[in-house]
Each structure stands twice: as structure tokens, then as C-alpha cells.
């Protein structure tokens, strides 16, 4: 009998591992490393939010919740989205509580894609988008946002990429890794493409609370777009809750029913304790969010100025907690730059190509780290660049 060489499915075997993880593995065992690599807050979850989880355990809430999440939490999400983004969702039929925004993206794609359906993925972007489209049986069609447009995709680019098989456009604004944010006008232009071709917008709004200069507009709030938008968000970034694994997705009723079927078979429900914590965060977390935002804003201003001064041109990001400086002037590609910076100065940044080919020539530096660490990292990076 022939021996199988691999039991893995082809589409899994050929999936590339995340470029971010690969890079972090290189730091194992190294001392005195400063990481600007991670995409998570350096803050600890606010105490009242942690306490709500402790109380939930003390009160014996240790069983499953409704598949879609506790109704009380869905009601709080509906109120929050209505209060701050002016979109009203029915908590009973249009909101699902998920295991992080990550699960929300996954079930959204699996709910809407038939084999071979195309999704326009704007790169550079969060590492999971294209792989999750592939895993859902779809085909990611990459559309590159350009440096000369401050990494904002142009609606004409999207229009040109639409085919008969296009089902959705994935948008993340403010963006990981570039920090760039679309204006309302730019969103309206993209919405017009979606309307013209009857496409869904899968809008990842996980950084909506981390916006520094402008007001945030949700894609679902754009005129006529609520029925064509799947709004993904969560608690990881604005409430410093990455480890709790809590997110949510708001979508029209039919899509929510579809997503819920996948969620109930694959997941059952998000962690009960985390849901109690998230509820407290939505009800009483605004002061903490504002304080963290203020701190990120100061750090953003500092790091952008420092990078520009050392000759790594850097666009001023409007949101999230990443800068995406160009390293082209060094003559190195992003992987070599990041590897040498780690080896020679013990600073971790992520090569831009981890976020798609269009990220080449850049590195992602997260400023979700303390000001003193940032200052030391900038000192080391300047020394590294000057040496070249
Ligand atoms: N979307 C974007 C753009 C992200 O940057 C991240 C995490 O880095 C996620 C989604 C995943 O968020 P969560 O921790 O809620 O799964």
C-alpha cells in the first residue's frame, strides 16, 4: 500500500505561516531586546473589567451562554455602536459575540463565500485576511494601497479589480500595519463601488477607538451601506483585552443567521467570564480608553518625529498604534533591515512584506510600548541607521 507523504489538505499545506510569528521566533533566548513588534497594548486590562470577570466566577457563571453571546452584552454592544457610530443594530438578530475579531472575520468569510468567490483584499493588511479567504474556499484578490496615497486604497483601483466573481471588499481603517485611516469622503467613494456591483464590505473596525486627530466613521454608517456591511470589532485593542479573546460582528439578519450556524457548531459561545468582563468594559470603560488613547497619541507624535529625523521617512498615522516608515534609503529589503536591527541593536520591528508584497520597503514599528522603551528603541535605531 502506498504511504501517504502528508495527511494535510493541499490548501493548508501550501498556506504560508505568518511572517510575524516567524520573526518573533528569532528573538527566543535573546536578552535586552526591545520589541516594537507586537500588535497589542502594553497596558493591563483596566481593573474594574478584570474584577467583573472575577465576580462572574465567584458568582458561579461557569456554563455556556447563548450561542450569540449574552443578550445583555449584545444589547450593550448595540447601544455602544449606536451611541458612537450612529448605526442601530437589533441585538437579538444582528449581533454575534465572537472569540476575538479574528473569529468574527473567519465566520463572516465562511458564511458568505462559495468556492471560487473573490474577495478584494487591500494590502498591506493584517496578516490573517488573505489566508482566511483561502481557508473559506474563496480567492483573495490583492489590491495594493500605495505609499504615495498615504496607504489609502483608491476607489478606482477597487473598481478595476471587480469581476463577476467578486463578493466582498475587505477594509481595515485605521489600518494595521500602516495606521492610515480613510476619510468619510473616501469611504463614500468605496461604498459607491460596492453599491454599483452589489458587493459586501467586510469592515474591520477594531481600531475605531484609537483615532487621534479626527472623528471616526463606521462603514455601516455610510449612507445606504448598513445592509451591505459586515462590521467586525472587539475588545482586544481599545480595552487592552487581547488575551481574553472577545470580539463581535454586526451584520444584516440573514448573514448573522449564517454566521451563527458556523459559530454554534465550531465554537458554541465566547468565554462566559470574558463576556462579563466585556460588558463592564462597554459600560464603564470610557475613561480608561481615553487615557490609553492620550498616551498612544503622545507616543505616536514622538516616534513619527524620531523616525523622520533619523532619515526613515514616516507618514503620520491617524489611528491604531503602528508606524510604517520607509527603509528604502538604507538599500536593504525589509527582512534584512529587521534581521540586522535585531542582531546588531536588539530592537524588534516587523518586515513590511509580512503584510503583503506591497509592504516591502517598509517596517512596522508598534508604539504600544512605554515611552522609556520607545526612547531607548529610537536611540538604538538611530545608531543603527547612522552606522550604515
Ligand atoms: N484585525 C486587525 C486589523 C488586527 O490588527 C487584529 C490583531 O492584531 C485583529 C483583527 C485580531 O483581533 P482579536 O484579538 O480581537 O482577534
Amino acid at each position: 500500500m502506498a504511504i501517504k507523504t502528508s495527511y494535510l489538505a493541499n490548501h493548508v499545506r501550501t498556506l504560508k505561516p505568518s511572517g510575524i510569528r516567524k520573526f518573533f521566533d528569532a528573538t527566543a533566548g535573546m536578552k535586552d531586546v526591545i520589541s516594537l513588534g507586537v500588535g497589542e497594548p502594553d497596558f493591563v486590562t483596566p481593573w474594574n473589567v478584570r474584577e467583573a470577570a472575577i465576580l462572574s466566577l465567584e458568582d458561579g457563571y461557569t456554563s455556556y451562554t447563548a450561542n450569540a453571546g449574552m443578550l445583555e452584552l449584545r444589547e450593550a454592544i448595540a447601544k455602544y455602536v449606536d451611541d458612537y457610530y450612529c448605526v442601530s443594530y437589533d441585538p437579538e438578530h444582528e449581533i454575534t459575540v465572537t472569540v476575538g475579531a479574528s473569529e468574527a472575520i473567519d465566520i463572516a468569510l465562511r458564511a458568505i463565500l462559495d468556492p471560487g468567490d473573490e474577495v478584494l483584499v487591500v494590502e498591506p493588511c493584517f496578516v490573517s485576511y488573505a489566508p482566511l479567504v483561502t481557508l473559506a474556499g474563496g480567492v483573495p484578490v490583492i489590491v495594493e494601497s500605495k505609499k504615495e496615497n498615504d496607504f489609502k486604497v483608491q476607489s478606482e483601483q477597487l473598481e478595476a479589480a471587480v469581476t463577476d466573481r467578486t463578493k466582498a471588499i475587505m477594509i481595515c481603517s485605521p489600518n494595521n500595519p500602516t495606521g492610515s485611516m480613510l476619510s468619510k469622503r473616501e469611504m463614500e467613494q468605496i461604498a459607491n463601488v460596492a453599491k454599483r456591483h452589489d458587493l459586501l464590505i467586510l469592515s474591520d473596525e477594531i481600531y475605531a477607538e484609537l483615532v487621534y486627530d479626527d472623528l471616526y466613521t463606521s462603514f455601516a454608517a455610510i449612507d445606504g451601506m448598513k445592509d451591505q456591511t459586515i462590521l467586525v470589532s472587539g475588545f482586544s485593542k481599545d480595552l487592552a483585552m487581547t488575551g481574553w479573546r472577545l470580539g463581535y460582528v454586526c451584520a444584516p439578519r440573514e448573514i448573522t443567521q449564517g454566521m451563527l450556524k458556523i459559530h454554534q457548531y465550531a465554537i458554541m459561545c465566547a468565554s462566559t467570564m470574558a463576556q462579563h468582563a466585556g460588558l463592564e468594559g462597554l459600560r464603564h470603560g470610557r475613561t480608561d480608553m481615553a487615557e490609553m488613547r492620550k498616551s498612544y497619541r503622545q507616543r505616536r507624535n514622538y516616534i513619527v518625529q524620531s523616525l523622520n529625523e533619523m532619515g526613515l521617512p514616516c507618514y503620520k498615522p491617524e489611528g491604531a498604534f503602528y508606524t510604517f516608515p520607509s527603509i528604502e534609503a538604507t538599500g536593504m529589503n525589509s527582512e534584512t533591515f529587521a534581521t540586522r536591527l535585531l542582531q546588531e541593536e536588539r530592537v524588534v520591528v516587523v518586515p513590511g512584506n509580512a503584510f503583503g508584497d506591497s509592504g516591502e520597503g517598509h517596517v512596522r514599528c508598534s508604539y504600544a510600548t512605554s515611552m522609556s522603551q520607545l526612547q531607548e528603541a529610537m536611540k538604538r535605531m538611530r545608531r543603527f541607521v547612522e552606522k550604515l
Side-chain angles (χ1 to χ4, degrees), residues 163-370:
T163 71
D164 289 349
R165 294 305 308 261
T166 312
K167 195 78 176 265
I169 305 174
M170 284 185 86
I171 297 280
C172 176
S173 168
N175 179 271
N176 172 8
T178 65
S180 100
M181 184 172 95
L182 297 166
S183 68
K184 188 166 179 217
R185 178 89 199 92
E186 288 156 344
M187 290 165 93
E188 282 166 350
Q189 287 165 345
I190 295 172
N192 286 339
V193 178
K195 285 179 194 164
R196 247 192 315 279
H197 299 280
D198 205 9
L199 307 177
L200 285 165
I201 298 282
L202 181 41
S203 181
D204 183 345
E205 307 196 2
I206 188 116
Y207 294 106
E209 284 287 349
L210 301 180
V211 165
Y212 306 113
D213 306 312
D214 233 330
L215 280 180
Y216 182 74
T217 306
S218 167
F219 234 109
I222 300 287
D223 215 17
M225 280 310 289
K226 190 190 154 201
D227 289 345
Q228 277 174 250
T229 300
I230 302 179
L231 190 170
V232 167
S233 195
F235 299 76
S236 286
K237 313 291 174 170
D238 51 14
L239 279 164
M241 291 181 71
T242 47
W244 297 76
R245 311 309 304 124
L246 193 67
Y248 58 89
V249 50
C250 307
R253 188 173 175 149
E254 189 204 9
I255 296 177
T256 298
Q257 278 170 348
M259 292 191 293
L260 198 53
K261 281 195 269 185
I262 304 167
H263 174 79
Q264 78 191 8
Y265 288 128
I267 304 288
M268 296 274 244
C269 66
S271 143
T272 304
M273 175 184 73
Q275 291 190 52
H276 279 107
L279 182 59
E280 171 65 19
L282 279 182
R283 284 182 175 161
H284 304 117
R286 298 226 52 90
T287 313
D288 288 298
M289 280 187 203
E291 266 166 32
M292 291 189 262
R293 183 165 48 237
K294 192 168 149 211
S295 172
Y296 290 135
R297 192 172 192 280
Q298 277 169 351
R299 301 174 196 183
R300 174 199 67 164
N301 293 347
Y302 168 74
I303 191 172
V304 168
Q305 190 180 347
S306 305
L307 290 166
N308 278 311
E309 278 172 8
M310 72 178 79
L312 300 180
C314 181
Y315 149 91
K316 188 172 189 181
E318 292 105 328
F321 38 55
Y322 310 104
T323 50
F324 205 56
S326 166
I327 47 103
E328 274 163 2
T330 66
M332 283 183 258
N333 66 26
S334 61
E335 212 146 328
T336 310
F337 181 96
T339 308
R340 279 190 56 186
L341 181 64
L342 176 63
Q343 282 164 353
E344 294 171 35
E345 292 290 350
R346 314 221 153 207
V347 175
V348 180
V349 296
V350 182
N353 68 353
F355 307 97
D357 291 344
S358 56
E360 189 46 84
H362 295 77
V363 292
R364 187 188 78 175
C365 308
S366 160
Y367 49 91
T369 190
S370 71

Side-chain angles (χ1 to χ4, degrees), residues 18 57 61 63 86 88 99 174 202 258 313 342 363 385:
S18 157
L57 290 180
Y61 287 108
S63 43
C86 303
S88 82
V99 179
L202 181 41
L342 176 63
V363 292
V385 172

Side-chain angles (χ1 to χ4, degrees), residues 369-381:
T369 190
S370 71
M371 198 61 170
S372 57
Q373 288 280 90
L374 266 187
Q375 283 165 341
E376 176 61 22
M378 289 302 103
K379 196 170 106 192
R380 295 185 191 184
M381 271 179 90

